């Protein structure tokens, strides 16, 4: 057996182990990111599998969690956007942090789907989210929604899309194809909760090179979404960055991020928070000391749920609806 043969065999084995490891990680991640439908919380009901959009890749569905009793006034709405690097995940992920439980407090929680990056690259994802927002407004009377009190929230990739929804409310280029009458349902959301979402892909590349931050996540973070390396598509990167659209008059933001996040650097939330405040907007940044991106329990505490609820109560609920 020659030395060359040994070297080739070692390299082949290393390649097999590498790709086997990648497949295993993707499989495990998919199982975590795509849970089954959760039951409706006590005192609420759920309406499942409502089609809100038709795309070249098939229909998009949503679920609605809402109080089981009729409300005296239309319900404020929270639109949930799931995470998973834009390539895995589903709307049932709302159960990971028990966020569907906020329907027990006088909200309608609308959990939307969007096209994953193996089906379509950006801007398809934000087009789908804005289609979901227009659907909420178009169907407000049918479901007793308040079309003027809509918040959006999500984590990781869902945090990015939530933040982008918040800063680009008047950007027609990100609305996607409009149907007849859609012009009546355009406009910004009224509050945004962004948990550990990317906000500037170009800066994230630099931030990931700092000690203690993993380089292995680069492909999942942006390249799958954009269809190319960040450096190769600067205009698309600019269009996808929530920071691009910040100016005075943004909706209030509640931002939560783990200090030790090795997937989406904490700096991504810091630059969003600082840019919002620099333009005179309301932004609160909560940093979880010692916590990383996958420390799900750290983000699902009673304390954070209470802060999230208090934030939306403050900005979306008239006094008569506060529970």
């Amino acid at each position: 057996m020659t030395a060359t043969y040994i070297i080739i065999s070692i390299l082949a084995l290393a390649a097999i182990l590498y790709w086997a490891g990648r497949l295993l990680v993707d499989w495990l991640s998919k199982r975590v990111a795509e849970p089954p439908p959760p039951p409706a919380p006590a005192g609420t009901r759920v309406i499942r599998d409502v089609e809100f959009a038709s795309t070249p890749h098939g229909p998009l569905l949503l679920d609605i969690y809402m109080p089981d009793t009729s409300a005296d006034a239309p319900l404020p709405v929270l639109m949930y956007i799931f995470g998973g690097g834009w390539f895995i995940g589903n709307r049932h992920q709302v159960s990971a942090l028990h966020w569907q439980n906020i329907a027990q407090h006088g909200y309608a929680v609308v959990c939307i789907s969007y096209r994953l990056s193996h089906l379509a690259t950006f801007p398809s994802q934000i087009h789908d989210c804005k289609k979901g927002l227009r659907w909420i407004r178009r169907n407000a009377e049918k479901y007793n929604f308040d079309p003027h009190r809509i918040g959006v929230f999500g984590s990781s990739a869902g945090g990015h899309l939530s933040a982008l929804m918040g800063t680009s409310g008047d950007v027609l280029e990100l609305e996607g194809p409009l149907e007849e009458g859609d012009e009546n349902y355009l406009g910004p959301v009224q509050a945004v909760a962004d948990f550990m979402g990317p906000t500037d892909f170009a800066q994230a590349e630099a931030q990931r090179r700092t000690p203690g931050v993993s380089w292995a996540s680069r492909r999942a973070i942006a390249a799958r979404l954009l269809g190319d390396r960040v450096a190769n598509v600067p205009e698309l990167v600019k269009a996808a960055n929530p920071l691009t659209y910040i100016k005075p008059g943004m909706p209030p933001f509640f931002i939560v991020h783990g200090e030790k996040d090795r997937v989406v650097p904490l700096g991504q939330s810091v630059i969003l928070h600082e840019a919002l405040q620099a333009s005179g907007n309301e932004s609160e940044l909560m940093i979880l000391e010692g916590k990383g991106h996958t420390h799900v329990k750290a983000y699902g505490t009673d304390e954070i749920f209470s802060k999230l609820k208090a934030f939306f109560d403050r900005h979306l609920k008239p006094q008569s609806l506060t529970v």
Side-chain angles (χ1 to χ4, degrees), residues 189-247:
V189 296
Q190 283 67 58
V192 178
D194 163 20
F195 281 59
M196 53 188 169
T199 60
D200 187 318
F201 294 129
Q203 292 194 56
E205 288 293 297
Q207 290 168 353
R208 264 185 229 106
R209 297 189 190 104
T210 59
V213 177
S214 171
W215 59 267
S217 59
R218 291 181 189 176
R219 183 167 180 265
I221 290 297
R224 295 189 191 189
L225 174 70
L226 301 172
D228 203 342
R229 291 171 55 87
V230 167
N232 294 342
V233 285
E235 290 303 314
L236 193 59
V237 167
K238 182 178 179 181
N241 287 344
L243 284 175
T244 299
Y245 309 101
I246 292 177
K247 60 185 178 182

Side-chain angles (χ1 to χ4, degrees), residues 8 20 29 40 67 80-81 100 111 146 158 167 170 175 256 258 270 275 289 301 307 320:
I8 292 173
S29 298
Y80 170 74
I81 307 175
Q100 75 275 24
C111 305
D146 188 333
T167 62
D170 60 350
E175 291 288 340
V256 182
V270 172
E289 294 185 8
T301 65
K307 285 182 177 290
S320 61

Side-chain angles (χ1 to χ4, degrees), residues 114-125:
Y114 59 87
R115 282 170 288 176
L116 298 175
S117 57
H118 70 277
L119 293 176
T121 54
F122 188 87
S124 298
Q125 292 72 25

Side-chain angles (χ1 to χ4, degrees), residues 25-44:
V25 168
D26 282 354
W27 179 76
L28 290 173
S29 298
K30 188 179 179 72
R31 289 200 64 181
V32 172
E34 301 185 1
T44 74

